[in-house]
Amino acid sequence: KQEVTQIPAALSVPEGENLVLNCSFTDSAIYNLQWFRQDPGKGLTSLLLIQSSQREQTSGRLNASLDKSSGRSTLYIAASQPGDSATYLCAVYSGGGADGLTFGKGTHLIIQP
Amino acid sequence: GAVVSQHPSRVICKSGTSVKIECRSLDFQATTMFWYRQFPKKSLMLMATSNEGSKATYEQGVEKDKFLINHASLTLSTLTVTSAHPEDSSFYICSARRSGYEQYFGPGTRLTVT
């Protein structure tokens, strides 16, 4: 059964810093990995989707990498801003009998002004 | 494109009553829709997968008679929580998938059972 772990569970940094969020998964046989942002009491905003054949994806100040063989992904946020404060979720799609996404518990990020 | 809506966004109901949550794909046809549940400070957990015109597939530990899912069309899936109890209070999020593997998520429904 696929399990997704995110480290750290919470992170607080001053504005302007670059930071890295980590995600690991136990079964490397995935189709894709997705990073989401969730604001308090809200739904999910998709940030980046990395297909299993890709190594990384970039969108603005965000860069996500995928090392499928080692079961790891990182989300790099450059020049952090207070508006980046949210919970960041990592999810993998493994296909087969598990048709939905398997989510990690998230990293709660606070950017201090 | 790929917008998914949910209705209602918040609902409060009394214990023992049933409540229906709608999930709609607004600008695409969704071959598959998914229902997730999120408890406070916990991750999203998949409850069930529904394909249009067929019975939903429920994850282990999810009672299919309590959480009724209907996927009547390619743009609408409904989740009915029957005989709701306070422990069913949670944040319910749906997602929809068209071709390919990417899922598009709705804004969620906060259910509170008193």
Side-chain angles (χ1 to χ4, degrees), chain A residues 9-84:
Chain A
L11 181 64
S12 180
V13 300
E15 179 179 5
E17 284 199 6
N18 303 322
L19 55 99
V20 175
L21 308 182
N22 297 289
C23 172
S24 61
F25 45 96
T26 54
D27 185 349
S28 62
I30 64 169
Y31 282 84
N32 61 49
L33 181 144
Q34 205 164 352
W35 284 93
F36 295 89
R37 168 186 174 138
Q38 186 176 31
D39 292 288
K42 303 292 184 183
L44 305 181
T45 300
S46 180
L47 299 173
L48 291 163
L49 171 71
I50 311 176
Q51 303 291 353
S52 62
S53 58
Q54 297 175 322
R55 299 284 292 186
E56 65 177 345
Q57 282 285 344
T58 298
S59 176
R61 295 182 293 109
L62 305 179
N63 176 276
S65 68
L66 174 64
D67 184 343
K68 197 174 113 170
S69 61
S70 68
R72 295 175 189 272
S73 175
T74 61
L75 178 67
Y76 176 82
I77 302 177
S80 58
Q81 302 170 358
D84 295 330

Side-chain angles (χ1 to χ4, degrees), chain B residues 39-61:
Chain B
F39 291 107
K41 300 190 185 299
K42 300 289 186 183
S43 187
L44 278 80
M45 297 296 292
L46 179 67
M47 298 176 65
T49 302
S50 74
N51 294 292
E52 184 264 341
S54 62
K55 290 184 178 180
T57 302
Y58 290 81
E59 295 299 300
Q60 193 172 10

Side-chain angles (χ1 to χ4, degrees), chain B residues 92-105:
Chain B
Y92 292 86
I93 304 179
C94 73
S95 70
R97 185 175 72 192
R98 45 189 181 187
S99 58
Y101 299 128
E102 188 166 6
Q103 295 180 28
Y104 302 93
F105 284 80

